Amino acid sequence: MHSNLHYRLPAEWEPQSGVQLTWPNAHTDWAYMLDDITDTYRQLVAAIERYEPVLTVSADGGHHSTLNAQCPINDTWARDHGFITLVNDGGESRLLDFKFNGWGEKFAADFDNAINRRLYDCGIVRGEYVSQLDFVLEGGSIESDGRGTVFTTTGCLMAPHRNQPLTREQIDCRLSDALGAERIVWINHGALAGDDTDGHIDTLVRICPDDTLVYIGCDDPADEQYTELHLMEEELRTLRTLDGRPYRLLRLPMPRPIYDEDRLRLPATHANFLVVNGAVLVPTYRQPDIDAQALRTIGMAFPGRDIVGIDCCSIIRQHGSLHCCTMQFPKGVLRCPE
């Protein structure tokens, strides 16, 4: 029997039962820098486990954290292949398993797309499993305030090879229904060079407590990202909460450009932070002045929480950052050992 209580997508700062990571190995795109990325993942596990349990999914089932699961994997971006979990006021959860197709069929994703079902069948997570495998949705493409508003971007959800031929209106209805949202706020501007995701919201704008939006800005008119980020900032200033008030806006600095081995720019952004119980883990990029400014700004959005910098110079080399490689589970969902 299903509960009649309303299910909703909780805000990331609500109580959690743990965080999932999918572990790099020599058969992934990390092969050429496996030692570096493994060291970063170990640091990330240690930082998260100061506050809550960690589940690691790996091809070898190695013991990397509190909980470990063995599954074949293509890559390591748990944010985008992980469950999107709804909760209700009765303490029940609903595990939504959307289709992950490698950000619009750019990369192989067949193994990653099967991880959620494997975790559910193994009993690692509790809740009602709900297949949404007829619809492509990545966790990094949505942000929730936990009170009925979900943010997304037009660039990502309307990008090729995701949910065509659905219109924006049809996608809006599908998201509202699936996520229990009262409204979907579409951000129409903002793009980062080197972004494989077509503009995930978690690299651009993050919803924080007390109707606060933390977003990335750019002050250099010569920067290739300047125009789009300026237009995004103007767009954010026009937004209103469900009760008609403007959002509190906190602007993050833009890191100085970081390039890969081929001199292609990487999508570094401090907006890709992870909220855990009692803390916010923030990506840093070995730019002490800019990193410090970003940490202070995020601290203003999350008073009372520890603000912890995590060096993400290894993660960014594969065009992602800290939030991209993690996925939180709400309270009561992850089955942790006693």
Side-chain angles (χ1 to χ4, degrees), residues 24-322:
N25 65 55
H27 300 289
T28 65
D29 288 343
W30 298 107
Y32 75 104
M33 52 173 291
L34 191 58
D35 288 345
D36 284 350
I37 191 61
T38 300
D39 183 60
T40 299
Y41 266 55
R42 287 185 180 130
Q43 293 177 39
L44 184 52
V45 168
I48 297 171
E49 286 190 332
R50 290 173 54 198
Y51 302 95
E52 63 189 77
V54 175
L55 162 67
T56 55
V57 175
S58 60
D60 63 2
H63 296 284
H64 306 291
S65 60
T66 317
L67 273 170
N68 299 274
Q70 184 172 5
C71 299
I73 67 171
N74 301 105
D75 212 330
T76 53
W77 306 108
R79 178 64 44 182
D80 295 338
H81 61 245
F83 277 119
I84 295 172
T85 310
L86 308 186
V87 298
N88 67 23
D89 291 340
E92 299 166 310
S93 57
R94 185 169 282 172
L95 302 160
L96 306 186
D97 189 7
F98 287 95
K99 183 176 182 178
F100 175 60
N101 72 345
W103 309 286
E105 301 175 356
K106 296 183 182 75
F107 305 97
D110 53 332
F111 291 148
D112 290 345
N113 197 44
I115 289 173
N116 289 339
R117 186 73 215 195
R118 179 73 66 91
L119 294 179
Y120 182 79
D121 288 345
C122 290
I124 291 174
V125 290
R126 58 166 65 89
E128 177 191 356
Y129 176 89
V130 180
S131 175
Q132 299 276 357
L133 292 171
D134 62 334
F135 189 81
V136 175
L137 186 70
E138 300 118 25
S141 70
I142 53 174
E143 275 282 298
S144 174
D145 68 355
R147 295 182 288 115
T149 295
V150 171
F151 276 45
T152 192
T153 64
T154 307
C156 177
L157 266 69
M158 298 303 296
H161 306 294
R162 278 183 167 87
N163 290 303
Q164 287 78 14
L166 295 183
T167 65
R168 175 168 146 167
E169 291 73 23
Q170 290 170 323
I171 291 174
D172 190 293
C173 288
R174 175 68 185 258
L175 286 180
S176 297
D177 182 60
L179 303 177
E182 292 187 44
R183 64 169 182 163
I184 308 297
V185 174
W186 294 77
I187 303 300
N188 299 308
H189 295 285
L192 297 177
D195 177 18
D196 291 328
T197 71
D198 303 302
H200 272 185
I201 193 76
D202 72 348
T203 64
L204 300 168
V205 183
R206 301 296 301 279
I207 305 179
C208 304
D210 302 316
D211 295 325
T212 297
L213 301 180
V214 170
Y215 68 100
I216 56 170
C218 182
D219 293 318
D220 181 5
D223 191 306
E224 62 191 304
Q225 302 171 147
Y226 175 81
T227 299
E228 272 294 298
L229 293 178
H230 176 72
L231 290 171
M232 184 186 78
E233 186 172 39
E234 292 299 308
E235 193 174 3
L236 296 180
R237 287 177 178 149
T238 70
L239 296 181
R240 297 293 180 267
T241 64
L242 271 172
D243 55 6
R245 293 178 293 108
Y247 285 92
R248 175 194 184 206
L249 301 180
L250 293 177
R251 190 176 194 258
L252 290 170
M254 174 62 61
R256 287 183 287 276
I258 302 173
Y259 298 94
D260 68 10
E261 298 83 356
D262 299 318
R263 297 300 299 168
L264 298 174
R265 189 170 180 177
L266 297 170
T269 164
H270 294 92
N272 206 244
F273 56 80
L274 173 72
V275 186
V276 295
N277 295 331
V280 184
L281 277 53
V282 181
T284 60
Y285 300 102
R286 301 177 194 170
Q287 300 179 13
D289 54 335
I290 296 178
D291 290 338
Q293 184 181 343
L295 291 166
R296 284 194 301 270
T297 301
I298 292 168
M300 292 169 62
F302 291 93
R305 290 182 187 250
D306 297 338
I307 307 299
V308 181
I310 301 288
D311 186 328
C312 288
C313 286
S314 58
I315 304 176
I316 199 63
R317 287 165 68 184
Q318 279 295 315
H319 302 257
S321 200
L322 195 157

